[in-house]
């Protein structure tokens, strides 16, 4: 078939899906009722985001970024811009993008060169090139609303001189109809390892005199506005990790029951057994399910904290919830996407040689998951944020408060004397001890020897995630007691504690003992 015909057919199908999605109201689940949304808590939309990511992670990226754009515009935009754009964005009739990456800058946003010039009418003219822009152009909707970081001529250097602008694909007339095409175009589409259904574009502004943009927030305060977008997007990407992990798990579990190979211990009839009967195979889907469930609990707890920080009537409750959400966000993003990569890799392994063949689909999950630990702030950046900002805030107050809650959960497990928990109680107690010691060591080193703290940031986040996830699964198991499914939840919590959380001691030693080896790597790698 002619490739152009194939592209046309795919475009028609994607447009149909996008239209059905919008008409069904899914884009508006957590949108403000003032702008036509359903006003439901973010945690409800978090569950939906997981489902979209499991069903089609590439499609789910578009509403994920649109939700972040909505949040930034609602928090920082002028009333005029809200009136023009929010209802369309909330409904999904228009979609949004984030544009903050340039070829020479990468994750170093302060090095961006895109320019913004003041115009006489209060708008701005933007020029420059942005790369890796997800859904930078498509034909699912009539308009795309780009949120672009750029620098004014008299702006200070670095991130303190960055401003955020709303740049529509099509300008909007006074009556709300679409007007002229704006000077922002997709000048290229990337050829990627995965996420093939999601257009990742190079965006160029200024070839025809400058893209017309409108200031969001204040001049030179764009990073504040952009982080409003990025924090929700980071949770969304964490949920992508959960969704694609669950998809891989379900497929691998089904394959392990269908594929017959070898004989299980005690098989006397001569026929082959499903590979699921072999303990090493059985261990892999159990590990997939346990990791996925733990990441899910962390992401949902993050969404609940965000909801409480915005909806509680008591100011102190809102403040405490905001601190909890800030602490959990880098863990939700990094831990969940790390396990997305690990779980999809196990999915390929369970399929054996067929997992290496594209027809089974197992390889696609693996490829699609790989980007999630890179975009919206690499997982290394999340680890640095956790150590230098979240742990260090108020002398670690948020961390100690959370650990007190986790300790209470472990105490309940210990008091239950339920044999279904096995050694989960002692394993979780040991992990809390490791997390406490590593946290206190990092809190001291982050000021006295910052490179030592940074060297241990990634294993620290893994230690935090595996301890938190283990305790949260135990909490679920305790809540399920008496409902007829308590054994299922308890066994899952036990497996996680005895196979994943048990690694906490080693992670603690990595945090505390490995700084010299990491910082001395120049002798080997230079």
């Amino acid at each position: 078939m002619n490739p152009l015909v194939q592209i046309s057919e795919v475009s028609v199908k994607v447009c149909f899906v996008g239209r059905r999605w919008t008409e069904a109201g899914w884009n508006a689940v957590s949108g403000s009722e003032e702008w036509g949304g359903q006003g439901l808590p973010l945690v409800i939309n978090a569950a939906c985001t997981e489902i979209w990511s499991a069903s089609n992670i590439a499609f789910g990226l578009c509403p994920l970024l649109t939700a972040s754009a909505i949040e930034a515009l609602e928090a920082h935009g002028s009333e005029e811009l809200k009136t023009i754009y929010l209802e369309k964005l909330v409904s999904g009739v228009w979609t949004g993008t984030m544009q903050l990456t340039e070829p020479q800058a990468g994750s170093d946003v302060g090095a961006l060169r895109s320019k913004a010039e003041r115009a006489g009418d209060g708008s701005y003219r933007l020029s420059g090139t942005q790369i890796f822009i997800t859904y930078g152009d498509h034909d699912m909707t009539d308009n795309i609303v780009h949120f672009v970081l750029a620098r004014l001529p008299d702006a200070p250097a670095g991130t303190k001189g960055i401003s955020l602008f709303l740049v529509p694909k099509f300008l909007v007339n006074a009556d709300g109809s679409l007007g002229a095409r704006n000077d922002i175009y997709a000048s290229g589409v990337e050829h990627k390892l995965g996420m093939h259904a999601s257009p990742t574009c190079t965006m160029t502004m200024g070839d025809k005199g400058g893209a017309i943009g409108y200031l969001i927030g204040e001049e030179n305060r764009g990073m504040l506005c952009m982080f409003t977008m990025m924090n929700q997007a980071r949770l969304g990407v964490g949920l992508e990790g959960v969704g694609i992990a669950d998809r891989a798990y379900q497929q691998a579990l089904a394959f392990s029951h269908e594929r017959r190979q070898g004989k299980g211990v005690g098989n006397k009839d001569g026929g082959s057994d499903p590979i699921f009967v072999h303990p090493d195979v059985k261990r892999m889907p159990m590990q997939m399910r346990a990791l996925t469930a733990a990441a899910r609990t962390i992401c949902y707890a993050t969404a609940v904290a965000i909801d409480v920080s915005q909806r509680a009537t008591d100011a102190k409750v809102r403040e405490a919830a905001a601190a909890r959400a800030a602490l959990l966000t880098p863990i939700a993003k990094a831990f969940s996407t790390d396990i997305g990569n690990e779980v999809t890799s196990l999915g390929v392994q369970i399929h054996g040689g067929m997992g290496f063949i594209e027809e089974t689909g197992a390889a696609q999950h693996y490829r699609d998951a790989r980007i999630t630990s890179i975009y919206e702030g690499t997982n290394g950046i999340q680890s640095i944020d956790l150590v230098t900002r979240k742990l260090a805030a108020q002398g670690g107050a948020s961390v100690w408060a959370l650990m007190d809650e986790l300790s209470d959960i472990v105490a309940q497990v210990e008091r239950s004397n339920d044999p279904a928990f096995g050694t989960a109680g002692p394993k979780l107690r040991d992990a809390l001890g490791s997390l406490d010691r590593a946290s206190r060591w990092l809190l001291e080193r982050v000021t006295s020897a910052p490179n030592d703290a940074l060297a241990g940031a990634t294993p620290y986040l893994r230690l935090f995630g595996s301890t938190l996830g283990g305790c949260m699964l135990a909490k679920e198991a305790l809540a399920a007691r008496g409902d007829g499914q308590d054994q299922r939840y308890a066994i899952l919590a036990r497996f996680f504690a005895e196979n994943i959380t048990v690694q906490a001691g080693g992670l603690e030693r990595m945090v505390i003992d490995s700084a010299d080896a990491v910082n001395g790597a120049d002798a080997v790698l230079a």
Side-chain angles (χ1 to χ4, degrees):
M1 180 181 289
N2 186 318
L4 293 178
V5 174
Q6 289 182 307
I7 293 172
S8 177
E9 289 182 353
V10 169
S11 178
V12 169
K13 291 177 181 178
V14 170
C15 289
F16 175 74
V17 170
R19 186 171 62 253
R20 290 285 301 274
W21 161 279
T22 300
E23 291 172 351
W26 290 114
N27 200 75
V29 168
S30 61
S32 171
E33 292 180 273
E34 179 182 359
W35 305 107
Q38 298 171 37
L40 294 173
L42 178 63
V43 70
I44 301 298
N45 199 52
C48 294
T49 299
E50 180 191 333
I51 294 171
W52 315 142
S53 299
S55 61
N56 189 325
I57 190 171
F59 174 81
L61 262 176
C62 193
L64 186 158
L65 293 172
T66 301
S68 298
I70 291 166
E71 188 175 23
L73 180 55
E74 194 163 19
H76 304 288
S78 68
E79 290 303 317
E80 180 181 6
L81 290 177
K82 292 179 186 179
T83 300
I84 295 171
Y85 292 98
L86 268 180
E87 186 174 343
K88 299 286 190 180
L89 286 169
V90 168
S91 68
V93 171
W94 295 347
T95 60
T97 75
M98 298 168 58
Q99 299 197 22
L100 67 161
T101 305
E102 294 184 0
Q104 81 290 342
S107 296
D108 184 8
V109 179
L112 70 80
R113 298 172 184 166
S114 292
K115 299 177 181 178
E117 300 276 353
R118 299 179 184 89
D121 59 358
S123 65
Y124 297 76
R125 299 296 179 269
L126 277 71
S127 60
T129 299
Q130 303 271 347
I131 61 171
F132 304 153
I133 307 306
T134 303
Y135 278 91
D137 203 6
H138 58 82
D139 50 8
M140 284 196 300
T141 57
D142 294 333
N143 206 6
I144 303 170
V145 185
H146 305 287
F147 286 75
V148 184
L149 290 180
R151 192 181 301 279
L152 290 163
D154 54 355
T159 57
K160 294 181 179 179
I162 292 174
S163 302
L164 180 64
F165 300 91
L166 184 156
V167 183
K169 178 179 178 179
F170 287 95
L171 302 177
V172 181
N173 296 320
D175 63 357
S177 62
L178 295 182
R181 181 71 160 84
N182 205 356
D183 187 13
I184 180 168
Y185 292 89
S187 54
V189 178
E190 304 296 344
H191 299 273
K192 302 174 295 185
L193 175 68
M195 295 277 200
H196 293 159
S198 164
T200 301
C201 303
T202 298
M203 303 299 296
T204 301
M205 303 173 290
D207 284 351
K208 300 179 180 180
I212 297 174
Y214 308 96
L215 184 68
I216 299 293
E218 301 175 20
E219 290 184 353
N220 303 324
R221 299 291 301 276
M223 289 304 296
L224 172 66
C225 305
M226 182 58 78
F227 272 112
T228 301
M229 295 182 70
M230 288 196 69
N231 283 333
Q232 180 162 317
R234 285 171 173 173
L235 171 59
V237 172
L239 288 160
E240 285 185 333
V242 175
I244 196 68
D246 195 61
R247 173 74 174 267
Y249 156 71
Q250 292 187 41
Q251 181 171 331
L253 179 65
F255 182 86
S256 72
H257 283 288
E258 296 165 1
R259 171 66 170 164
R260 290 181 172 271
Q261 185 174 314
K263 299 178 181 179
V265 174
N267 183 345
K268 304 295 185 182
D269 65 8
S272 296
D273 284 320
I275 62 173
F276 181 79
V277 306
H278 306 300
D280 187 60
V281 175
K282 190 174 295 187
R283 173 188 55 80
M284 287 189 281
M286 191 65 170
Q287 185 170 339
M288 295 170 78
R289 178 160 184 163
L291 286 168
T292 304
R296 179 183 292 118
T297 66
I298 294 172
C299 286
Y300 287 10
T302 307
V304 168
I306 294 172
D307 280 328
V308 174
S309 74
Q310 297 172 347
R311 293 170 177 262
T313 57
D314 188 305
K316 290 184 177 180
V317 172
R318 291 197 304 272
E319 182 180 0
R324 174 65 55 83
L327 172 63
L328 293 181
T329 295
I331 304 170
K333 195 279 180 183
F335 181 76
S336 300
T337 55
D338 278 346
I339 72 95
N341 279 280
E342 293 170 25
V343 168
T344 54
S345 179
L346 282 170
V348 173
Q349 188 70 23
I350 289 173
H351 281 78
M354 293 306 297
F356 202 65
I357 306 300
E358 290 290 351
E359 282 82 352
T360 63
Q364 179 184 337
H365 305 324
Y366 189 33
R367 289 186 286 102
D368 285 351
R370 190 62 190 87
I371 187 60
T372 60
S373 58
I374 298 172
Y375 60 18
E376 302 310 332
T378 66
N379 286 1
I381 289 174
Q382 305 306 312
S383 301
I384 293 169
D385 177 52
L386 176 63
V387 170
T388 62
R389 294 188 180 92
K390 308 308 168 55
L391 170 61
Q394 297 182 320
S398 294
V399 173
W400 313 139
L402 176 57
M403 288 185 62
D404 285 344
E405 295 178 21
L406 300 182
S407 182
D408 289 342
I409 295 169
V410 176
Q412 293 179 56
V413 172
E414 292 168 334
R415 289 195 301 268
S416 72
N417 292 319
D418 187 343
F421 280 116
T423 63
K427 296 293 191 302
L428 293 173
R429 181 65 67 192
D430 289 346
L432 282 173
S434 291
L435 181 58
D436 180 79
R437 290 186 293 273
S439 298
R440 295 183 187 280
W441 186 89
L442 286 168
L443 198 56
E444 187 276 323
R445 288 299 196 282
V446 78
T447 53
S448 67
N451 274 344
D452 288 359
L454 293 174
T458 290
Y460 177 70
L461 190 146
R462 183 69 180 212
L463 168 60
F464 212 135
S466 59
T467 303
L468 174 61
C471 292
M472 297 291 282
L473 289 180
K475 183 178 181 180
E476 285 188 357
L478 290 166
R481 299 180 76 189
D483 73 351
Q485 301 187 62
D486 50 331
Q487 292 295 299
R488 183 177 64 144
Y489 283 95
I491 292 171
L492 188 66
R494 174 182 181 175
F495 180 91
F496 191 92
E498 294 178 348
N499 289 270
I500 310 299
T501 307
V502 72
Q503 301 168 24
L507 291 167
E508 176 196 353
R509 298 325 311 167
M510 286 177 67
V511 172
I512 295 174
D513 296 340
S514 69
D516 286 346
V518 173
N519 292 325
D522 289 355
V524 178
L525 305 177

